[in-house]
Amino acid sequence: PASSNTEEPSFVSSEVLFYKSIIERREKIEDAHKIVHPPVTTINNSAATDCVPGSAEQYQYVPNQQKLHQQPHFPNNNNNDSATSLPMSSSFADEKKSEIPSEDENGRLKALKSQEAELSRLLADVRRQKLSVIRSRPLTIGVVGFGRFGQFIARTFAKYGRVVATSRSDYTDVARGMGVEYVPLSDMAGFVAHELDVIVLATSIVSFEDTVRKLVPYLEEAKRRGGVDADSGAVQRLAGPLIVDVLSVKDYPRQVLLDLLPPECDILCTHPMFGPDSGKNGWQGLNFVYERTRVDGLVLDPTQDQSFHQLSQADNDQNPDQVSSASFRDIQGKLHNVHEDSEAHIMAMDRMERFLSIWEEEGCRMVAMPCKVHDEYAANSQFITHLMGRILGTQGLRPTPIDTRGFESVLKLIGGTTADSFDLFYGLYKYNKNSMETILKLKRSMDDVVTKLQEMEHEDRNNSNWMHQEKQTQLLQVNTHLEENDASGTVSTIASP
C-alpha cells in the first residue's frame, strides 16, 4: 500500500536502492560515450582546420609544436559547454617524450638501413654471378640408382647441368620426362663413357659396397684414357670423376670409397637430411650435411674442414693454425689451400664447389661435419626416430574419432618411418656402430619406466591395505566401547565396510 511518507517502505528499500544503482551506472556510461574524439586536423600557415564534423570549442589547439596535441573536453555535470580539458600527467608526458627518437638516432638508423640495402644488392649481384659461373660450365652428373630418391635429386640436378642415370629397372620413359638420359645398369661402360664429372651413388645401404665394386673397373678404364693433353701437358679433364654418396650413415660409405676407389677419384660424403616427402615443396632451409673427404689425391682431415658457403652453419671455433678460411689440412696434417699451385687441384676443388653450390642455390642449410660425428648424432636422432616408428607400427594403431593431437603425431611418425623400405632401416642399424647402443638405452629406459610404475602400484596397494587395517582396528575399538557401556544389555555395533 502507498504511504503518505516520502521515504520508501523499509521492506522495499534494498530493492529500490539496487535498481537505482543500476540506473546511475547506466547514466555514467552514457556520459562517457558523449566524449567527442579529436578530429583529423590539417595545418596550413599555423592554422588548424577540422576535417571531420565537430565543435571547435571542444578542442584545444596548441600552436608552435612539432605535433598537435588536441585534448578532448569532457562535459561537466551541469551540462555547461565551457568544460575544462583533462591535463596530461607530467610522468606520462616524460615517458612519451623519451619514446621520441633523437635526430642523431634517426640519422644513424637511416644510414644503417641504407647500408643494409646496399649489402643486399651486393649479395644478390654476387649470387647472380655465382649462378652464372655454375651454368657457364655445367657439370655432367651421373646418378647410379634411379629409384624414388634418385629421381628426386636428378630432377633438380637437371636444372643446372646434364644428367645421366642408370638403374636395374627400366626407367627410360621416366628419365625422358624430366630431361635425363637413361642407360641400363647392364651397360655400365656406356654409362661411364659419358665423361661424367660427378657420379652420385643413390643406392640402398645394403647394396652400396657391391655397387662400388662393380663400378671400379670402369673407372680404372676411364682413368687410362686420361685427361691430359699429350702435346701441351695441360689438364683438359680430370682423370677420375667426383664420387658422391648420399647415404643416411656416413662413416661406413666413407671407408668403402677410400678403400675401393682409384686415388684419382675425388670423394664427397653427403647426407641430404630430407627426401621426396619432406622436400616435395623445395629444399629451402633443409639440412645438407657433407664432408670433403678426398681432393686431388689428398685425404682431408675432417675435423679441420671449413665451409666456403654463404648458407653454411657458423663456425664458432676458429683455428689459429689455419691461414685462411679457404685452407685445409690433409690427413697427415699438411696445410693446403684451395688456390694451391696445381691446375688439377684447382680444377678438382672447383668441381666439388660447383656440385655443392647446386644444393646451396636450392636453399639448403649447408652443414660441414665429419662422418664420424654425423653418425653419433644420427644414432640419437634419425635411427631412434625410425626405431620408435617401427616399434609403434607393429602395434596396429589406427585413427579414432577422439584422437588427441599427441596421438595424431604418433600416427604421423608411424606413417613417415614405415613408408621407407625396411632395407633402409636395416642399413641404419647395421652400418652405424652407434645404433646398438641406442637400442640398449631404449630397453633400459623402458625397464626403468615399467619398474617405476610397478613400484608405485605396490606402494599404493600397501597404503590401501594399511588404511583398511587401520579402519578395521578403529571399528573394533568403537564396538567394544559400545558393548561395555550398554547398560541395557542390547548391543548396537557398527558394521564393517
Side-chain angles (χ1 to χ4, degrees):
S3 173
S4 58
N5 197 339
T6 57
E7 296 181 356
E8 293 94 344
S10 59
F11 66 92
V12 294
S13 61
S14 60
E15 186 175 339
V16 170
L17 291 175
F18 172 73
Y19 284 110
K20 286 179 67 177
S21 66
I22 293 179
I23 293 171
E24 290 174 356
R25 291 182 63 189
R26 181 175 297 174
E27 290 175 348
K28 290 180 180 179
I29 294 174
E30 290 175 352
D31 288 341
H33 280 292
K34 292 177 182 178
I35 298 174
V36 181
H37 297 285
V40 178
T41 305
T42 59
I43 308 301
N44 185 12
N45 296 327
S46 302
T49 304
D50 293 338
C51 298
V52 294
S55 173
E57 291 78 14
Q58 291 179 315
Y59 298 89
Q60 180 182 15
Y61 173 64
V62 182
N64 300 324
Q65 297 291 333
Q66 185 178 6
K67 293 184 179 180
L68 293 180
H69 298 284
Q70 294 177 327
Q71 300 174 352
H73 287 246
F74 293 83
N76 58 16
N77 295 333
N78 299 324
N79 294 325
N80 190 353
D81 290 339
S82 61
T84 57
S85 61
L86 294 178
M88 180 184 293
S89 66
S90 59
S91 61
F92 181 77
D94 292 341
E95 181 181 349
K96 285 299 181 183
K97 184 177 180 181
S98 65
E99 292 178 1
I100 301 175
S102 65
E103 185 175 350
D104 291 342
E105 289 174 337
N106 279 331
R108 176 170 171 76
L109 179 59
K110 183 178 179 180
L112 289 173
K113 291 177 70 174
S114 176
Q115 185 179 1
E116 181 183 37
E118 180 63 24
L119 289 174
S120 296
R121 285 192 293 270
L122 288 173
L123 177 59
D125 184 59
V126 168
R127 297 198 67 182
R128 280 193 297 269
Q129 293 182 42
K130 185 178 70 173
L131 188 59
S132 176
V133 169
I134 294 172
R135 290 175 174 169
S136 65
R137 289 192 289 123
L139 297 171
T140 299
I141 303 174
V143 178
V144 179
F146 204 56
R148 191 163 177 250
F149 187 80
Q151 295 174 29
F152 170 66
I153 58 176
R155 184 177 290 105
T156 298
F157 292 163
K159 293 162 37 178
Y160 296 90
R162 177 169 164 253
V163 180
V164 183
T166 185
S167 195
R168 287 179 297 182
S169 302
D170 185 7
Y171 290 107
T172 304
D173 294 337
V174 176
R176 186 184 298 115
M178 63 177 69
V180 173
E181 299 179 52
Y182 185 79
V183 179
L185 189 62
S186 58
D187 186 16
M188 184 62 75
F191 173 73
V192 177
H194 280 274
E195 296 187 354
L196 304 172
D197 296 305
V198 181
I199 296 179
V200 179
L201 302 174
T203 65
S204 67
I205 302 176
V206 293
S207 62
F208 181 80
E209 182 175 348
D210 184 56
T211 301
V212 174
R213 289 185 180 278
K214 291 178 179 178
L215 179 63
V216 166
Y218 301 99
L219 296 175
E220 294 281 4
E221 178 62 28
K223 179 185 69 174
R224 281 192 290 270
R225 291 198 294 267
V228 179
D229 185 87
D231 297 328
S232 65
V235 179
Q236 295 179 328
R237 182 174 58 84
L238 293 170
L242 168 64
I243 306 299
V244 181
D245 93 279
V246 290
L247 295 183
S248 299
V249 295
K250 294 270 60 74
D251 210 31
Y252 163 70
R254 178 183 189 272
Q255 198 57 50
V256 168
L257 295 176
L258 286 173
D259 291 344
L260 300 180
L261 289 178
E264 292 79 9
C265 291
D266 297 338
I267 299 173
L268 178 66
C269 295
T270 77
H271 182 194
M273 303 292 290
F274 52 93
D277 294 323
S278 55
K280 63 183 178 182
N281 296 321
W283 301 356
Q284 187 69 37
L286 300 177
N287 288 337
F288 180 81
V289 181
Y290 65 96
E291 178 197 286
R292 299 181 184 89
T293 303
R294 186 168 69 192
V295 179
D296 191 30
L298 297 173
V299 179
L300 309 184
D301 181 358
T303 62
Q304 301 293 331
D305 192 13
Q306 289 188 340
S307 176
F308 317 134
H309 294 273
Q310 171 210 347
L311 300 180
S312 301
Q313 175 178 271
D315 185 4
N316 295 322
D317 299 324
Q318 298 296 329
N319 191 332
D321 295 332
Q322 291 180 316
V323 296
S324 72
S325 62
S327 61
F328 57 89
R329 293 187 184 277
D330 61 25
I331 202 68
Q332 283 79 32
K334 182 180 178 182
L335 190 67
H336 297 268
N337 192 279
V338 293
H339 305 296
E340 209 160 59
D341 188 18
S342 165
E343 188 175 357
H345 181 87
I346 294 173
M347 290 180 65
M349 287 301 300
D350 178 74
R351 178 177 62 182
M352 186 174 288
E353 295 310 310
R354 284 173 179 271
F355 179 76
L356 286 171
S357 293
I358 293 175
W359 302 87
E360 182 185 4
E361 287 302 313
E362 288 298 310
C364 291
R365 177 174 175 264
M366 310 297 286
V367 184
M369 181 179 293
C371 291
K372 183 178 180 181
V373 176
H374 167 279
D375 285 358
E376 292 172 358
Y377 285 145
N380 293 322
S381 58
Q382 187 184 30
F383 177 70
I384 196 170
T385 300
H386 280 260
L387 178 62
M388 294 304 301
R390 291 286 176 177
I391 292 173
L392 294 171
T394 62
Q395 305 297 311
L397 302 177
R398 295 290 184 271
T400 72
I402 57 172
D403 288 350
T404 62
R405 292 291 178 86
F407 186 70
E408 289 174 355
S409 298
V410 170
L411 294 178
K412 186 176 180 180
L413 171 65
I414 295 172
T417 53
T418 56
D420 294 320
S421 67
F422 200 83
D423 281 349
L424 171 62
F425 179 55
Y426 175 65
L428 294 176
Y429 161 74
K430 181 178 180 180
Y431 297 107
N432 188 338
K433 61 183 180 181
N434 303 286
S435 59
M436 179 52 69
E437 179 61 26
T438 300
I439 293 175
L440 295 176
K441 285 181 179 178
L442 181 62
K443 291 179 68 176
R444 288 194 294 267
S445 299
M446 176 71 76
D447 292 340
D448 290 343
V449 172
V450 173
T451 299
K452 187 173 182 179
L453 289 173
Q454 292 174 339
E455 288 175 351
M456 290 185 68
E457 183 183 31
H458 181 70
E459 183 180 354
D460 186 54
R461 186 182 297 113
N462 289 340
N463 289 338
S464 298
N465 291 338
W466 178 84
M467 291 177 63
H468 181 73
Q469 293 173 359
E470 184 70 16
K471 190 176 294 183
Q472 291 294 328
T473 301
Q474 292 175 355
L475 289 172
L476 180 62
Q477 293 174 351
V478 170
N479 286 330
T480 302
H481 180 73
L482 292 174
E483 289 175 358
E484 292 175 350
N485 293 280
D486 190 353
S488 62
T490 303
V491 179
S492 176
T493 61
I494 301 175
S496 299

